[in-house]
Amino acid sequence: MHHTLQNRSALVLGGGGSTGNAWLIGVVAGLSDAGVDVTAADVTVGTSAGSTAAAQLAGATPTELYADVLRGAPERAGIPAAGAVARAPERPVVDHLDRTRRIIDSAKDPADMRRRMGAAALARAAESDGSWQERWHDTVASRFTARRWPERTLLITAVDAETGDPVVFDRRSGADLVDAVAASCSSGLPYPIGDRWYIDGGYRCNAENADLATGCERVLVLSPFGGRSLTPARWGNRLASQVHDLRERGSRVETVYPENRHEHLFGANAMDPSSRSPAARAGYGLGSELAPRLAEFWNGGADAGGDAHNHG
Protein backbone atom coordinates (compact mmCIF):
# COMPACT_ATOMS: atom_id res chain seq x y z
CA MET A 1 0.00 0.00 0.00
CA HIS A 2 1.62 3.27 -1.12
CA HIS A 3 0.81 6.58 0.52
CA THR A 4 2.38 9.97 -0.10
CA LEU A 5 3.60 11.41 3.20
CA GLN A 6 3.72 15.20 3.25
CA ASN A 7 5.69 15.85 6.45
CA ARG A 8 8.74 14.24 7.97
CA SER A 9 7.87 14.30 11.68
CA ALA A 10 5.00 14.74 14.13
CA LEU A 11 5.00 15.08 17.91
CA VAL A 12 1.71 14.14 19.60
CA LEU A 13 1.26 15.45 23.16
CA GLY A 14 -1.65 13.72 24.88
CA GLY A 15 -3.91 14.89 27.69
CA GLY A 16 -3.44 13.90 31.32
CA GLY A 17 -4.18 16.74 33.74
CA SER A 18 -1.65 18.84 35.60
CA THR A 19 0.62 15.87 36.34
CA GLY A 20 0.37 14.74 32.72
CA ASN A 21 1.53 18.18 31.63
CA ALA A 22 4.53 17.95 33.96
CA TRP A 23 5.35 14.45 32.72
CA LEU A 24 5.24 15.60 29.09
CA ILE A 25 7.62 18.45 29.86
CA GLY A 26 9.92 16.03 31.66
CA VAL A 27 10.03 13.56 28.76
CA VAL A 28 10.72 16.29 26.19
CA ALA A 29 13.39 17.84 28.46
CA GLY A 30 15.02 14.46 29.06
CA LEU A 31 15.17 13.84 25.32
CA SER A 32 16.40 17.38 24.64
CA ASP A 33 19.19 17.25 27.21
CA ALA A 34 20.30 13.96 25.64
CA GLY A 35 20.47 15.59 22.20
CA VAL A 36 17.09 14.63 20.75
CA ASP A 37 15.11 17.79 19.93
CA VAL A 38 11.53 16.70 19.28
CA THR A 39 10.27 20.30 19.53
CA ALA A 40 11.46 20.80 15.95
CA ALA A 41 8.69 18.49 14.66
CA ASP A 42 7.01 19.57 11.42
CA VAL A 43 3.61 18.96 13.07
CA THR A 44 2.74 19.12 16.78
CA VAL A 45 -0.65 17.89 18.03
CA GLY A 46 -1.70 19.10 21.48
CA THR A 47 -4.69 17.88 23.45
CA SER A 48 -5.83 19.28 26.80
CA ALA A 49 -2.73 19.21 29.05
CA GLY A 50 -0.78 18.43 25.90
CA SER A 51 -2.04 21.64 24.28
CA THR A 52 -0.65 23.56 27.27
CA ALA A 53 2.69 21.77 26.88
CA ALA A 54 2.75 22.56 23.17
CA ALA A 55 2.14 26.27 23.84
CA GLN A 56 4.74 26.26 26.61
CA LEU A 57 7.30 24.73 24.24
CA ALA A 58 6.55 27.46 21.71
CA GLY A 59 7.85 30.09 24.13
CA ALA A 60 10.55 28.43 26.24
CA THR A 61 13.10 25.62 26.03
CA PRO A 62 12.31 22.18 27.48
CA THR A 63 15.14 22.63 29.98
CA GLU A 64 13.67 25.93 31.21
CA LEU A 65 10.19 24.49 31.51
CA TYR A 66 11.47 21.45 33.40
CA ALA A 67 13.32 23.69 35.85
CA ASP A 68 10.13 25.71 36.34
CA VAL A 69 8.15 22.58 37.26
CA LEU A 70 10.77 21.45 39.78
CA ARG A 71 10.78 24.93 41.28
CA GLY A 72 7.01 24.92 41.56
CA ALA A 73 6.83 28.20 39.66
CA PRO A 74 3.31 29.06 38.49
CA GLU A 75 4.55 30.94 35.43
CA ARG A 76 4.96 28.63 32.41
CA ALA A 77 4.81 25.59 34.69
CA GLY A 78 1.19 24.67 34.05
CA ILE A 79 0.04 25.37 37.60
CA PRO A 80 -3.09 27.53 37.98
CA ALA A 81 -2.58 31.06 39.25
CA ALA A 82 -2.18 31.48 43.00
CA GLY A 83 -5.36 30.65 44.85
CA ALA A 84 -7.02 28.84 41.95
CA VAL A 85 -6.37 25.45 43.50
CA ALA A 86 -6.30 24.83 47.21
CA ARG A 87 -5.29 21.43 48.47
CA ALA A 88 -5.06 18.36 46.26
CA PRO A 89 -8.56 18.27 44.71
CA GLU A 90 -8.88 14.50 44.47
CA ARG A 91 -12.62 14.40 45.13
CA PRO A 92 -13.59 16.80 42.32
CA VAL A 93 -11.44 14.78 39.91
CA VAL A 94 -13.12 11.55 41.00
CA ASP A 95 -16.55 13.19 40.71
CA HIS A 96 -15.68 14.41 37.21
CA LEU A 97 -14.52 10.93 36.20
CA ASP A 98 -17.77 9.46 37.55
CA ARG A 99 -19.85 11.96 35.54
CA THR A 100 -17.78 11.20 32.44
CA ARG A 101 -18.24 7.43 32.84
CA ARG A 102 -22.01 7.81 33.19
CA ILE A 103 -22.23 9.85 30.00
CA ILE A 104 -20.02 7.40 28.09
CA ASP A 105 -22.09 4.46 29.32
CA SER A 106 -25.27 6.12 28.06
CA ALA A 107 -23.85 7.05 24.64
CA LYS A 108 -24.26 4.88 21.57
CA ASP A 109 -21.15 6.06 19.71
CA PRO A 110 -18.38 8.71 19.89
CA ALA A 111 -20.48 11.41 18.20
CA ASP A 112 -23.33 10.83 20.65
CA MET A 113 -20.84 10.92 23.53
CA ARG A 114 -19.43 14.25 22.37
CA ARG A 115 -22.90 15.78 22.07
CA ARG A 116 -23.84 14.56 25.55
CA MET A 117 -20.59 15.87 27.04
CA GLY A 118 -21.21 19.24 25.44
CA ALA A 119 -24.81 19.37 26.64
CA ALA A 120 -23.73 18.55 30.20
CA ALA A 121 -21.08 21.29 30.12
CA LEU A 122 -23.52 23.86 28.73
CA ALA A 123 -26.04 22.94 31.44
CA ARG A 124 -23.41 23.54 34.13
CA ALA A 125 -22.54 26.86 32.50
CA ALA A 126 -26.19 27.93 32.56
CA GLU A 127 -26.24 27.44 36.34
CA SER A 128 -23.14 29.58 36.90
CA ASP A 129 -22.58 33.34 36.90
CA GLY A 130 -20.18 33.15 33.96
CA SER A 131 -17.23 34.61 35.88
CA TRP A 132 -15.18 31.47 35.32
CA GLN A 133 -14.58 32.42 31.67
CA GLU A 134 -12.26 35.34 32.41
CA ARG A 135 -10.64 33.49 35.32
CA TRP A 136 -9.96 30.46 33.14
CA HIS A 137 -8.52 32.62 30.35
CA ASP A 138 -6.16 34.32 32.82
CA THR A 139 -5.20 31.02 34.43
CA VAL A 140 -4.33 29.45 31.08
CA ALA A 141 -2.48 32.59 29.94
CA SER A 142 -0.30 32.45 33.07
CA ARG A 143 1.00 29.03 32.05
CA PHE A 144 3.04 30.06 29.02
CA THR A 145 4.79 33.07 27.54
CA ALA A 146 4.02 32.50 23.85
CA ARG A 147 1.26 34.80 22.60
CA ARG A 148 1.53 34.02 18.92
CA TRP A 149 1.06 30.76 17.10
CA PRO A 150 4.43 29.22 16.16
CA GLU A 151 5.47 29.05 12.52
CA ARG A 152 5.63 25.26 12.64
CA THR A 153 2.27 23.56 12.36
CA LEU A 154 0.56 23.34 15.76
CA LEU A 155 -2.83 21.64 15.96
CA ILE A 156 -4.91 22.19 19.11
CA THR A 157 -7.93 19.94 19.59
CA ALA A 158 -11.36 20.71 21.03
CA VAL A 159 -15.02 19.79 20.59
CA ASP A 160 -17.92 22.12 19.74
CA ALA A 161 -20.10 21.96 22.85
CA GLU A 162 -23.36 22.58 20.98
CA THR A 163 -22.95 20.27 17.99
CA GLY A 164 -20.43 17.73 19.34
CA ASP A 165 -18.35 18.23 16.21
CA PRO A 166 -14.57 17.69 16.48
CA VAL A 167 -12.59 20.92 16.16
CA VAL A 168 -8.93 21.59 15.38
CA PHE A 169 -7.46 25.05 15.93
CA ASP A 170 -4.31 26.23 14.17
CA ARG A 171 -2.77 29.57 13.26
CA ARG A 172 -5.17 29.93 10.34
CA SER A 173 -8.31 29.23 12.39
CA GLY A 174 -8.68 32.78 13.67
CA ALA A 175 -8.58 31.72 17.32
CA ASP A 176 -6.08 33.31 19.71
CA LEU A 177 -3.51 30.78 21.00
CA VAL A 178 -4.53 31.30 24.63
CA ASP A 179 -8.21 30.80 23.72
CA ALA A 180 -7.44 27.64 21.74
CA VAL A 181 -5.54 26.12 24.67
CA ALA A 182 -8.23 27.21 27.15
CA ALA A 183 -10.85 25.47 25.00
CA SER A 184 -8.76 22.30 24.66
CA CYS A 185 -8.37 22.12 28.46
CA SER A 186 -12.01 22.92 29.29
CA SER A 187 -13.31 19.62 30.65
CA GLY A 188 -15.94 20.69 33.18
CA LEU A 189 -17.36 23.94 31.83
CA PRO A 190 -17.44 25.06 28.19
CA TYR A 191 -15.15 27.84 26.97
CA PRO A 192 -16.36 30.51 24.52
CA ILE A 193 -14.50 31.64 21.41
CA GLY A 194 -16.51 34.07 19.31
CA ASP A 195 -20.10 32.84 19.29
CA ARG A 196 -19.21 29.17 19.83
CA TRP A 197 -18.61 27.12 22.99
CA TYR A 198 -16.00 24.40 23.26
CA ILE A 199 -15.05 21.53 25.54
CA ASP A 200 -11.90 19.45 26.14
CA GLY A 201 -10.06 18.11 23.11
CA GLY A 202 -9.72 14.75 24.86
CA TYR A 203 -13.32 14.05 23.85
CA ARG A 204 -12.43 14.36 20.15
CA CYS A 205 -10.57 11.06 19.69
CA ASN A 206 -9.36 9.78 23.04
CA ALA A 207 -6.69 11.76 24.91
CA GLU A 208 -4.12 11.70 22.11
CA ASN A 209 -5.81 12.53 18.75
CA ALA A 210 -2.85 10.92 16.99
CA ASP A 211 -4.97 10.60 13.83
CA LEU A 212 -4.10 14.24 13.16
CA ALA A 213 -0.52 13.13 12.44
CA THR A 214 -1.70 11.28 9.33
CA GLY A 215 0.65 12.06 6.46
CA CYS A 216 3.82 12.23 8.57
CA GLU A 217 6.70 9.82 8.06
CA ARG A 218 7.55 9.56 11.77
CA VAL A 219 5.12 10.04 14.63
CA LEU A 220 6.16 10.19 18.28
CA VAL A 221 3.22 9.92 20.69
CA LEU A 222 3.67 10.87 24.35
CA SER A 223 0.64 9.59 26.28
CA PRO A 224 0.41 10.38 30.02
CA PHE A 225 -2.61 8.05 30.27
CA GLY A 226 -0.68 5.23 28.62
CA GLY A 227 -3.26 4.79 25.89
CA ARG A 228 -5.95 3.95 28.43
CA SER A 229 -9.48 5.15 27.74
CA LEU A 230 -12.89 5.23 29.39
CA THR A 231 -14.56 4.60 26.02
CA PRO A 232 -15.50 1.11 24.82
CA ALA A 233 -12.95 -0.65 22.61
CA ARG A 234 -15.66 -1.28 20.02
CA TRP A 235 -15.75 2.43 19.22
CA GLY A 236 -12.32 2.06 17.64
CA ASN A 237 -10.97 5.42 18.82
CA ARG A 238 -8.40 4.25 21.36
CA LEU A 239 -4.72 5.01 20.86
CA ALA A 240 -3.94 1.47 19.67
CA SER A 241 -6.45 1.93 16.85
CA GLN A 242 -5.02 5.35 15.99
CA VAL A 243 -1.49 3.88 15.83
CA HIS A 244 -2.68 0.98 13.67
CA ASP A 245 -4.33 3.37 11.21
CA LEU A 246 -1.23 5.59 11.04
CA ARG A 247 0.93 2.58 10.20
CA GLU A 248 -1.55 1.42 7.58
CA ARG A 249 -1.07 4.81 5.93
CA GLY A 250 2.70 4.46 5.91
CA SER A 251 3.81 6.25 9.09
CA ARG A 252 6.36 4.85 11.52
CA VAL A 253 5.13 5.33 15.07
CA GLU A 254 6.64 5.22 18.55
CA THR A 255 4.54 5.65 21.68
CA VAL A 256 5.89 6.52 25.12
CA TYR A 257 3.90 5.81 28.28
CA PRO A 258 4.68 6.42 31.97
CA GLU A 259 6.23 3.45 33.70
CA ASN A 260 3.84 1.32 35.75
CA ARG A 261 5.48 2.36 39.00
CA HIS A 262 4.49 5.98 38.32
CA GLU A 263 0.82 5.37 37.47
CA HIS A 264 -0.26 6.65 40.90
CA LEU A 265 0.74 10.15 39.78
CA PHE A 266 -2.08 10.22 37.23
CA GLY A 267 -5.80 9.44 37.34
CA ALA A 268 -7.32 10.71 40.59
CA ASN A 269 -4.10 12.60 41.38
CA ALA A 270 -3.88 14.28 37.97
CA MET A 271 -4.73 17.74 39.32
CA ASP A 272 -2.59 17.56 42.47
CA PRO A 273 0.10 20.30 42.24
CA SER A 274 2.30 18.43 44.73
CA SER A 275 2.55 15.53 42.25
CA ARG A 276 3.89 17.69 39.42
CA SER A 277 7.57 17.51 40.40
CA PRO A 278 7.58 13.70 40.80
CA ALA A 279 5.73 13.36 37.47
CA ALA A 280 8.23 15.65 35.73
CA ARG A 281 11.19 13.74 37.21
CA ALA A 282 9.65 10.45 36.09
CA GLY A 283 9.21 11.84 32.58
CA TYR A 284 12.75 13.23 32.50
CA GLY A 285 14.25 9.90 33.52
CA LEU A 286 12.23 8.09 30.88
CA GLY A 287 13.16 10.59 28.16
CA SER A 288 16.84 10.27 29.06
CA GLU A 289 16.62 6.47 29.00
CA LEU A 290 14.83 6.32 25.64
CA ALA A 291 16.95 8.98 23.93
CA PRO A 292 19.43 6.63 22.19
CA ARG A 293 16.63 4.57 20.60
CA LEU A 294 14.45 7.54 19.80
CA ALA A 295 17.36 9.45 18.28
CA GLU A 296 17.62 6.80 15.58
CA PHE A 297 13.87 6.84 15.05
CA TRP A 298 13.52 10.63 15.07
CA ASN A 299 16.42 11.14 12.70
CA GLY A 300 15.06 8.59 10.26
CA GLY A 301 16.88 5.34 11.10
CA ALA A 302 15.82 2.64 8.64
CA ASP A 303 14.61 0.09 11.17
CA ALA A 304 13.29 2.35 13.92
CA GLY A 305 9.63 2.61 14.79
CA GLY A 306 8.52 -0.92 13.92
CA ASP A 307 6.58 -1.29 17.16
CA ALA A 308 5.01 1.16 19.54
CA HIS A 309 7.18 1.57 22.61
CA ASN A 310 4.93 0.67 25.51
CA HIS A 311 7.40 1.50 28.25
CA GLY A 312 6.68 0.07 31.67
Side-chain angles (χ1 to χ4, degrees):
M1 194 183 310
H2 178 75
H3 293 272
T4 302
L5 302 179
Q6 294 83 32
N7 294 292
R8 292 180 56 214
S9 58
L11 174 65
V12 177
L13 301 172
S18 182
T19 57
N21 169 267
W23 180 83
L24 291 168
I25 288 170
V27 173
V28 174
L31 289 169
S32 177
D33 288 352
V36 183
D37 181 15
V38 298
T39 68
D42 296 311
V43 176
T44 300
V45 179
T47 294
S48 197
S51 74
T52 303
Q56 290 170 314
L57 290 165
T61 69
T63 304
E64 290 170 336
L65 294 171
Y66 180 61
D68 282 347
V69 177
L70 298 188
R71 240 193 349 261
E75 289 296 319
R76 302 206 309 261
I79 303 173
V85 173
R87 276 168 275 181
E90 180 172 326
R91 188 67 239 168
V93 174
V94 173
D95 290 344
H96 175 70
L97 289 173
D98 288 343
R99 284 195 303 269
T100 299
R101 285 192 184 95
R102 285 196 296 272
I103 291 173
I104 291 172
D105 289 345
S106 67
K108 64 178 187 289
D109 57 33
D112 186 36
M113 181 269 291
R114 291 193 299 266
R115 286 191 294 269
R116 289 169 181 262
M117 290 291 182
L122 291 168
R124 293 188 73 200
E127 297 170 356
S128 74
D129 63 4
S131 63
W132 89 90
Q133 298 168 30
E134 186 175 351
R135 287 201 310 272
W136 185 235
H137 176 279
D138 293 346
T139 294
V140 171
S142 75
R143 296 173 175 177
F144 51 88
T145 58
R147 289 296 173 263
R148 294 177 182 271
W149 288 88
E151 286 304 308
R152 288 192 178 90
T153 300
L154 171 57
L155 306 177
I156 301 293
T157 64
V159 169
D160 187 302
E162 294 171 278
T163 65
D165 292 338
V167 176
V168 180
F169 296 109
D170 62 16
R171 66 174 179 269
R172 294 177 297 276
S173 63
D176 176 82
L177 180 59
V178 173
D179 283 334
V181 174
S184 188
C185 296
S186 195
S187 59
L189 288 161
Y191 184 81
I193 302 177
D195 61 355
R196 306 303 298 174
W197 295 82
Y198 300 95
I199 57 172
D200 198 294
Y203 299 130
R204 180 191 169 276
C205 187
N206 209 36
E208 296 84 19
N209 293 291
D211 62 298
L212 293 175
T214 297
C216 295
E217 293 178 9
R218 297 183 303 285
V219 182
L220 176 61
V221 183
L222 307 185
S223 174
F225 284 149
R228 296 187 301 276
S229 175
L230 298 176
T231 61
R234 69 176 184 277
W235 286 2
N237 62 351
R238 292 186 175 181
L239 179 58
S241 299
Q242 298 173 42
V243 169
H244 176 270
D245 291 346
L246 284 169
R247 290 188 176 141
E248 285 287 297
R249 290 170 170 80
S251 297
R252 287 180 292 143
V253 187
E254 285 276 2
T255 60
V256 178
Y257 305 159
E259 295 174 288
N260 290 338
R261 63 196 174 97
H262 294 132
E263 283 185 358
H264 67 282
L265 297 171
F266 306 95
N269 294 319
M271 301 309 294
D272 181 356
S274 69
S275 294
R276 282 180 55 79
S277 287
R281 291 182 192 279
Y284 188 91
L286 187 56
S288 302
E289 178 186 337
L290 296 180
R293 173 178 173 175
L294 291 181
E296 182 184 12
F297 165 73
W298 195 248
N299 296 323
D303 298 323
D307 292 305
H309 187 93
N310 301 338
H311 196 90

